[in-house]
Amino acid sequence: MNGDRRSTADAPPSEGEELLATAGDWDLPSERHLHHREVLMQQIDHDSAPAALTKPVPRRRWAPRPAVWVPVASLALAGTLVITASGGGRPGSDPAARTGSVGVRAGSVSVTLDRIAAAAMATDATPVKDGQYVYVKSLIRENTGTFDGPVRLGALHRREVWSVQNPRPVTRGGWMRDSGKDAVMPGEEIPIEFSDATAAGIDRPTYQWLASLPTDPDALLRLLYARATVSEGESKDQAVFRTVGDLLGSTVMPPANAAALYEAVKRIPGITVIADAVDAAGRHGIGITRDDPSSATRDEWIFDRDSLAYLGSRSYVTHDAARGITKDTLAGADAVIERAVVDRHGVAPAAAGTAGG
């Protein structure tokens, strides 16, 4: 995130390509599975219909982690929206999970987020026209288990997303393309669709909409609390934290608004710092997380220690009494490799002749 047009710090695309070929055994973050439980359950009944093979899942919310936009049939078969876990996702099996989180003082949260906000403010502005697309390339590892079965992390694969910037209501929010083992419909350009026409806003955050938000942290936080949708089993505080997390890896953000976002986050109760967190590309950084007693999941945001640029995220199932989960079980991870602004969907920045992100 952090609104810059450069590739994510210390992670040139060539490194991502190498990692994609060699990282089959890594444990990495999920796709906010709890939020999409209802959508998956509503769609599974339709999987047997031939149209399900080609029709993408209608989305009412802009879920920036694009695994939620895969076709219905693939959801049922691959289980990409699984939220429950046991067995195969053995707690404690990830040696890097939450390393260094013990003993981090609460006071360091404010200091750390102040530093991240300052770094975001110092990045170059990236104007985006209404007719352009925000391009984000990531490395993804996600849950491929069944809906009511254990977490089974699939192979690391590449994901490209082109997000429509048109502020007017649209039913097609963009396109995504996965490549590599365990990718959904590898190499195919899959439409990202909404069930209803959706204008730019918190459910579909365009660059210009983000630029229109207040840069006063208190005013911004009030707006987030007013507009964030609370999922079943989570508090309002957690819903706001999750909503911010959705923005970080999915878009290009104006520097002043990015800085205000981080200043607003430090006002959310329960935020903690993790001294050593690891993204899907294996890059170590500083983690920001929040434990919510009412939620069965926990997300970590990961930032480069030196540049403080956003690197990626990890997601965990924190408890599931029905399946015996009593501590964090890694359910997925991602790593942002490149962000850019392009004039056409379906093409990477180099091919489009546009400076990369």
Side-chain angles (χ1 to χ4, degrees), residues 234-322:
E234 74 176 354
S235 66
K236 191 70 170 182
D237 293 332
Q238 186 67 13
V240 172
F241 183 79
R242 170 178 51 75
T243 298
V244 173
D246 284 346
L247 298 174
L248 299 185
S250 67
T251 188
V252 171
M253 190 172 293
N257 300 95
L261 195 67
Y262 291 122
E263 291 289 346
V265 165
K266 75 180 186 182
R267 292 159 166 78
I268 301 173
I271 305 295
T272 57
V273 174
I274 297 173
D276 185 28
V278 187
D279 73 1
R283 300 173 297 189
H284 289 252
I286 300 167
I288 300 293
T289 192
R290 182 178 189 278
D291 280 306
D292 189 283
S294 64
S295 175
T297 62
R298 180 179 65 81
D299 291 345
E300 293 176 2
W301 311 336
I302 304 164
F303 300 86
D304 184 86
R305 285 197 182 93
D306 297 321
S307 69
L308 298 174
Y310 177 85
L311 296 179
S313 68
R314 297 166 69 90
S315 295
Y316 299 85
V317 176
T318 57
H319 59 271
D320 187 334

Side-chain angles (χ1 to χ4, degrees), residues 27-169:
D27 285 337
L28 314 163
S30 78
E31 314 295 339
R32 278 205 301 105
H33 303 309
L34 279 177
H35 180 66
H36 306 291
R37 177 202 293 257
E38 182 179 352
V39 172
L40 178 61
M41 296 306 291
Q42 289 173 349
Q43 297 298 327
I44 283 176
D45 289 341
H46 301 289
D47 289 350
S48 59
L53 296 175
T54 57
K55 183 180 179 181
V57 176
R59 297 304 309 149
R60 189 176 296 272
R61 279 191 53 78
W62 178 264
R65 295 182 184 174
V68 302
W69 296 317
V70 299
V72 172
S74 297
L75 286 178
L77 295 174
T80 53
L81 298 189
V82 176
I83 71 158
T84 55
S86 66
R90 180 172 57 86
S93 61
D94 173 23
R98 306 198 70 182
T99 302
S101 62
V102 177
V104 176
R105 291 177 299 133
S108 67
V109 172
S110 181
V111 173
T112 300
L113 284 168
D114 279 344
R115 292 176 59 222
I116 293 172
M121 190 69 180
T123 59
D124 295 332
T126 310
V128 185
K129 298 177 183 177
D130 291 351
Q132 292 181 308
Y133 300 85
V134 167
Y135 170 87
V136 178
K137 179 168 70 175
S138 304
L139 297 180
I140 304 288
R141 196 176 181 195
E142 56 197 353
N143 187 5
T144 61
T146 59
F147 182 77
D148 58 353
V151 168
R152 291 189 177 92
L153 291 174
L156 190 69
H157 60 275
R158 184 188 307 110
R159 173 164 294 156
E160 298 171 283
V161 176
W162 293 265
S163 300
V164 170
Q165 297 298 295
N166 187 340
R168 295 188 297 274

Side-chain angles (χ1 to χ4, degrees), residues 146-203:
T146 59
F147 182 77
D148 58 353
V151 168
R152 291 189 177 92
L153 291 174
L156 190 69
H157 60 275
R158 184 188 307 110
R159 173 164 294 156
E160 298 171 283
V161 176
W162 293 265
S163 300
V164 170
Q165 297 298 295
N166 187 340
R168 295 188 297 274
V170 298
T171 56
R172 179 163 294 177
W175 287 261
M176 87 168 186
R177 182 171 63 204
D178 281 9
S179 305
K181 184 179 178 181
D182 286 338
V184 174
M185 298 177 64
E188 296 292 328
E189 200 172 315
I190 303 173
I192 299 166
E193 296 190 342
F194 299 95
S195 57
D196 299 318
T198 303
I202 201 165
D203 292 337

